[in-house]
């Protein structure tokens, strides 16, 4: 929602010419990894915490129905749901690499926030700018990220993609999670790029003798 070009006019219009838009020379980030979807259980927990301990789906739905019988809670829940629908409509208008058809079907019906941030990064870069970002391994592994991969491979110059396992708790996330360090420059397309997978030691990045 932040209008970067208005907040940083000296970056985007350094000569005061609004017809000549530039951008950031470098961007670094670790965007949210969540899916853009509402979470009913977490919402209702703010009214009745016990729903988080409901042992079965049936019992959880019973609590939800009871809470929704309150018109005030029902209105808040509808507003909460609508906020996500509005975000999805905004994303559809602002981004073109989030929805792609693969084998006749929409790839990745559930939109992930990291994918939106990766495309947004490209919109804010100067023509010769470079971005570095920490994202889930879904970037290189999931069908849902096909559009963003296409963007980074064909429209940008992907410089490297190093994929780590989290067995050594490099990040405060579950050990089974995998993440990737991605660096790309704005001018594409990509002809070749450095990559490595199933890494565990962050010091590998700084070992000049490593391959």
């Amino acid at each position: 929602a932040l209008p970067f070009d208005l907040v940083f006019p000296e970056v985007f219009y350094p000569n005061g010419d609004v017809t000549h838009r530039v951008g950031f020379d470098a961007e670094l980030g670790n965007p949210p990894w969540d899916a853009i979807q509402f979470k009913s259980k977490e919402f209702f927990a703010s009214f009745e915490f016990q729903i988080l301990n409901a042992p079965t789906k049936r019992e959880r739905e019973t609590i939800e129905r009871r809470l929704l019988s309150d018109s005030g809670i029902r209105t808040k829940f509808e507003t909460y749901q609508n906020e996500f629908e509005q975000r999805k409509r905004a994303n559809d208008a602002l981004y073109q690499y989030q929805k792609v058809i693969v084998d006749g079907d929409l790839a990745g019906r559930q939109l992930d926030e990291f994918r939106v941030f990766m495309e947004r990064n490209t919109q804010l870069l100067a023509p010769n700018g470079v971005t570095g970002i920490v994202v889930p391994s879904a970037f290189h592994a999931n069908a849902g990220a096909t559009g963003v991969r296409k963007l980074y491979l064909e429209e940008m110059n992907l410089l490297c993609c190093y994929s780590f396992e989290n067995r050594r708790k490099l990040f405060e996330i579950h050990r089974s999670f995998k993440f990737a360090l991605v660096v790309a420059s704005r001018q594409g397309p990509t002809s070749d790029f450095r990559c490595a997978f199933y890494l565990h030691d962050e010091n590998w990045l700084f070992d000049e003798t490593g391959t």
Side-chain angles (χ1 to χ4, degrees):
L2 183 66
F4 283 89
D5 53 347
L6 298 181
V7 176
F8 303 103
E10 70 281 4
V11 172
F12 288 85
Y13 310 107
N15 299 320
D17 182 0
V18 295
T19 64
H20 181 62
R21 187 177 184 272
V22 189
F24 293 110
D25 292 323
E27 297 172 357
L28 299 175
N30 179 9
W33 295 7
D34 294 334
I36 300 178
Q37 63 175 1
F38 63 85
K39 299 178 181 178
S40 300
K41 185 167 64 173
E42 285 76 1
F43 173 85
F44 289 115
S46 63
F47 299 96
E48 185 168 330
F49 193 73
Q50 190 61 32
I51 195 173
L52 296 177
N53 299 320
T56 66
K57 179 181 178 181
R58 182 178 179 181
E59 291 182 59
R60 186 179 75 246
E61 290 177 343
T62 299
I63 297 174
E64 289 181 6
R65 285 195 296 271
R66 175 165 49 78
L67 291 172
L68 287 172
S69 66
D70 182 307
S71 60
I73 294 177
R74 185 172 62 253
T75 299
K76 286 182 172 65
F77 184 57
E78 290 171 352
T79 301
Y80 173 67
Q81 289 178 303
N82 287 334
E83 287 174 353
F84 282 89
E85 293 305 315
Q86 290 167 4
R87 287 184 64 187
K88 289 179 181 179
R89 287 195 293 271
N91 288 336
D92 288 343
L94 293 170
Y95 306 112
Q96 57 177 314
Y97 291 92
Q98 301 302 317
K99 292 184 176 180
V100 241
I101 303 298
V102 177
D103 294 332
D105 195 15
L106 181 64
R109 294 182 178 278
Q110 186 169 284
L111 183 57
D112 295 316
E113 285 194 291
F114 83 87
R115 287 158 43 193
V116 176
F117 272 79
M118 291 187 80
E119 184 168 348
R120 180 62 167 155
N121 277 0
T122 68
Q123 297 174 351
L124 301 175
L125 278 177
N128 295 315
V130 177
T131 181
I133 192 166
V134 182
V135 293
S137 62
F139 167 69
H140 60 75
N142 288 14
T146 300
V148 171
R149 284 196 298 271
K150 180 181 176 70
L151 170 61
Y152 273 65
L153 287 167
E154 297 181 4
E155 301 299 324
M156 299 181 68
N157 181 19
L158 181 63
L159 301 175
C160 66
C161 176
Y162 297 138
S163 186
F164 283 80
E165 292 185 318
N166 198 42
R167 293 180 184 176
R168 297 180 55 187
K169 298 290 285 184
L170 301 176
F171 277 97
E172 290 302 318
I173 53 178
H174 196 277
R175 292 178 185 273
S176 65
F177 278 32
K178 299 180 181 67
F179 60 91
L181 309 183
V182 176
V183 180
S185 61
R186 189 66 191 88
Q187 294 294 332
T190 304
S191 57
D192 57 75
F193 64 95
R194 300 185 301 275
C195 63
F197 301 91
Y198 301 104
L199 300 170
H200 303 100
D201 185 358
E202 71 276 18
N203 291 323
W204 178 89
L205 293 168
F206 311 101
D207 182 4
E208 296 182 358
T209 63
T211 58

